[in-house]
Amino acid sequence: MGPHAQRNDIDTEKAAGEHTVPPPPPTLHRFTLMHDEFGDTGFGHEQYEGLRARPPSGCEPVDWGGFALKCERPGRTLLEAVSHTVTEIRREHGLVMNSLGIEDPGEWLDADKNGYGAQIIAHLLLTAAHRASLLGYRRKELVRLLDAAGAG
């Protein structure tokens, strides 16, 4: 299939009413961070007051049945953008965002280092770090496990 055929498919989708959101520029990454906590801490809870009033640049507070931030932030990779945002929120607001709001990561295959697969990785790492701390595990133990698994 030539480039013109692909272009016609795109035009046909648009004509049929399909709306596609263009991807962000290569240096910006779109993601949602959630503070996933058990208990009565909905979007309006007082612990989120400062973050609702002063979210990080490029982030907007949203109610996803709990507190979330919809972000478009710079970074060389998606993981870097997520890491910098989580660090900024932790330093300025004392809150650790611990999820990307992905309900069921399931099986996925994605060769794009900044695509859906990267979102799943960030979500799983944030969730694992949060739950490990609830169980009393320390950073050193988590890093040891990542090293044992052959991560980078």
Side-chain angles (χ1 to χ4, degrees):
M1 180 184 298
H4 295 294
Q6 288 177 329
R7 182 72 192 148
N8 288 339
D9 289 344
I10 292 169
D11 291 340
T12 302
E13 286 177 12
K14 287 181 182 174
E18 292 286 330
H19 177 69
T20 57
V21 176
T27 57
L28 291 178
H29 302 278
R30 289 185 185 137
F31 55 92
T32 300
L33 286 173
M34 288 193 71
H35 186 244
D36 190 8
E37 189 170 296
F38 301 108
D40 189 24
T41 56
F43 180 79
H45 195 274
E46 64 187 33
Q47 72 177 337
Y48 306 123
E49 191 174 313
L51 195 48
R52 279 193 309 271
R54 294 177 318 282
S57 175
C59 294
E60 171 188 347
V62 293
D63 186 347
W64 273 16
F67 186 81
L69 290 170
K70 201 171 184 179
C71 300
E72 186 173 53
R73 301 268 294 185
R76 286 179 296 125
T77 65
L78 177 88
L79 289 182
E80 180 179 273
V82 170
S83 295
H84 287 191
T85 308
V86 169
T87 299
E88 181 180 335
I89 293 167
R90 185 174 180 190
R91 283 186 183 145
E92 293 185 17
H93 301 280
L95 190 66
V96 178
M97 302 302 277
N98 55 18
S99 171
L100 265 67
I102 297 169
E103 299 250 344
D104 181 11
E107 291 295 321
W108 51 271
L109 180 60
D110 187 2
D112 183 2
K113 190 173 184 177
N114 296 311
Y116 183 67
Q119 289 183 14
I120 297 294
I121 296 297
H123 170 75
L124 292 172
L125 287 170
L126 286 173
T127 302
H130 172 67
R131 293 182 182 181
S133 71
L134 293 176
L135 293 173
Y137 286 105
R138 312 274 301 156
R139 179 185 179 280
K140 187 176 184 178
E141 293 167 296
L142 297 177
V143 170
R144 187 179 310 128
L145 178 59
L146 288 173
D147 286 345

